[in-house]
Amino acid sequence: MEYELYIDVFFGVNFCMNLGLLLALRKILKAESSVCRLVPASLAGAAAACVWAAVPSPFSALSGTFLAPLVMIWIGF
């Protein structure tokens, strides 16, 4: 069975999920971060997820599960 990956839908869903998680994290941490910083962080995370899904490599699992969220938090906060 083969699955088709629509990268634009994958990017959009991932962006919305990342933004929602960063907004929740901002509220939990009571951080002084604006939405203008959280949107690029969500875009970076969604782009990293698309690269991780499209280009299989030995390092993609590491970057997709560990480095991408850290970069998102660094950009956002």
Side-chain angles (χ1 to χ4, degrees):
M1 180 181 218
E2 288 188 27
Y3 295 102
E4 290 197 28
L5 176 68
Y6 295 103
I7 202 76
D8 55 342
V9 175
F10 184 73
F11 181 83
V13 169
N14 204 308
F15 169 74
C16 291
M17 291 298 293
N18 288 342
L19 186 59
L21 287 172
L22 286 174
L23 287 170
L25 185 62
R26 179 180 74 166
K27 189 168 192 154
I28 290 169
L29 295 177
K30 296 180 176 76
E32 296 289 330
S33 181
S34 68
V35 177
C36 295
R37 287 184 59 109
L38 297 181
V39 168
S42 298
L43 287 172
C50 288
V51 169
W52 176 73
V55 181
S57 73
F59 301 109
S60 65
L62 177 66
S63 65
T65 58
F66 183 70
L67 296 177
L70 290 178
V71 170
M72 278 181 16
I73 291 170
W74 180 67
I75 292 172
F77 297 106

